[in-house]
Amino acid sequence: MPAPTTVTDLYPTRGATEVSTPRQDPVVWGAPDALGPFGPSDLQSFERDGFFAIDQLISPDEVAVYRAELDRLVDSPDIRADERSVVEPQSKEIRSVFEVHKISEVFAKLVRDERVVGRARQILGSDVYVHQSRINVKPGFGASGFYWHSDFETWHAEDGLPNMRTVSVSIALTENYDTNGGLMIMPGSHRTFLGCAGETPKDNYKKSLQMQDAGTPSDEGLTKMASEYGIKLFTGKAGSATWFDCNCMHGSGDNITPFPRSNVFIVFNSVENTAVDPFAAPIRRPDFIGARDFTPVK
């Protein structure tokens, strides 16, 4: 459905053809010298590349606490039966659990941790709320990956986020090797919005959470971007973290190794960029995927 007339659609997508649009928004909204966990050079690096990796955001002792909580949630029959859980199509193992900061006080505390939310405020230049949170579980021997995509393309088209004022952090709870389906990002790709071709099916989220189709770029579009920007693969110990801009082109491969890859994923959006009606979908996605509770994290 078209966006409301009071909100200008700066990033057209899901039309008849694929369209490339230069970024219309800042990357770092906050002042370069704003006090917080990031230093000025860190923010400059984030602005240039669209991401910033931290070798150890949380300690090994903290990792153990979050791993235990992840295992508790994944092993819970109640969580498995909850609509916020997504299972692998083949193995039927849990792939993701959404709205984890509302399900678990352990993960809620992580969201409020100044090492986490403080960096979001620095990048976005305002108070922030959680647009989405989830734990991702990639067990060994065949867990499927996430195809190349820009998160903002989906959040704009299906959740109604008007501007690129959203940032994600992926915190590793297991070691990320170069072989077990780690995160890949095209550095600098956050400066170009690739509007995808094709309409959004009704209730698209039910399929896309297992295997994305609508909102995926063409092979030609991806080849052009990869040729221009290259591809960075992230590795690191448990406790490492990667912050990345909402418009980074990213994805991950299947995990066919014996080594699991699990992480907690938190999306912060500016309270000055709250969601409106979807820009390119018949209905908006459920609140547990795209929040409509804009209460700032405190």
Side-chain angles (χ1 to χ4, degrees):
M1 64 183 292
T5 56
T6 55
V7 180
T8 301
D9 185 357
L10 299 176
Y11 303 103
T13 189
R14 314 260 176 123
T17 59
E18 194 171 68
V19 179
S20 179
T21 303
R23 186 185 186 108
Q24 306 295 302
D25 294 305
V27 177
V28 175
W29 293 72
D33 58 351
L35 294 178
F38 276 140
S41 63
D42 300 337
L43 291 173
Q44 289 172 1
S45 179
F46 183 89
E47 184 165 18
R48 180 188 68 238
D49 298 329
F51 59 80
F52 190 85
I54 299 171
D55 290 337
Q56 188 178 69
L57 179 70
I58 58 176
S59 70
D61 288 345
E62 291 173 302
V63 168
V65 171
Y66 295 122
R67 276 288 303 278
E69 181 68 353
L70 180 147
D71 292 342
R72 183 187 73 80
L73 294 173
V74 170
D75 292 340
S76 167
D78 291 340
I79 296 298
R80 174 174 285 275
D82 195 296
E83 66 172 343
R84 291 171 287 189
S85 293
V86 181
V87 299
E88 288 281 354
Q90 301 301 323
S91 69
K92 302 305 179 183
E93 293 188 76
I94 286 185
R95 173 188 178 96
S96 300
V97 179
F98 281 82
E99 214 169 45
V100 71
H101 71 295
K102 292 191 175 181
I103 292 174
S104 163
E105 179 55 30
V106 173
F107 285 113
K109 288 180 180 178
L110 180 62
V111 166
R112 298 191 298 266
D113 191 310
E114 187 62 22
R115 293 170 296 178
V116 176
V117 69
R119 286 182 165 90
R121 293 191 190 107
Q122 282 183 281
I123 292 170
L124 302 180
S126 69
D127 279 335
V128 299
Y129 70 94
V130 177
H131 176 70
Q132 184 187 105
S133 73
R134 66 178 187 260
I135 48 173
N136 291 327
V137 184
K138 255 191 178 179
F141 299 118
S144 54
F146 293 86
Y147 196 68
W148 290 105
H149 64 286
S150 154
D151 286 330
F152 180 75
E153 193 280 335
T154 297
W155 299 338
H156 183 68
E158 300 186 41
D159 297 341
L161 295 191
N163 295 97
M164 294 181 183
R165 200 170 179 179
T166 315
V167 66
S168 302
V169 60
S170 175
I171 303 172
L173 300 182
T174 54
E175 184 156 358
N176 286 261
Y177 301 101
D178 58 4
T179 52
N180 65 340
L183 173 68
M184 296 181 288
I185 294 180
M186 297 184 187
S189 60
H190 61 303
R191 296 192 175 278
T192 301
F193 178 75
L194 196 60
C196 300
E199 293 185 353
T200 308
K202 184 179 179 181
D203 289 341
N204 177 57
Y205 78 94
K206 294 180 180 178
K207 177 182 178 183
S208 68
L209 295 181
Q210 292 183 329
M211 184 63 68
Q212 191 165 354
D213 185 14
T216 54
S218 68
D219 290 352
E220 294 77 13
L222 287 171
T223 300
K224 182 178 179 181
M225 293 189 84
S227 298
E228 180 176 356
Y229 300 119
I231 296 173
K232 163 74 173 175
L233 170 65
F234 292 86
T235 59
K237 299 285 187 181
S240 62
T242 303
W243 291 85
F244 59 101
D245 179 83
C246 58
N247 190 45
C248 282
M249 189 62 68
H250 66 288
S252 64
D254 295 350
N255 182 13
I256 61 171
T257 75
F259 310 114
R261 176 181 172 264
S262 299
N263 69 298
V264 55
F265 181 78
I266 307 163
V267 181
F268 294 101
N269 188 39
S270 169
V271 296
E272 298 172 10
N273 187 45
T274 53
V276 295
D277 288 340
F279 286 85
I283 57 173
R284 63 180 178 85
R285 300 191 299 174
D287 290 8
F288 68 85
I289 302 175
R292 296 283 162 152
D293 178 356
F294 309 133
T295 304
V297 176
K298 297 294 185 181

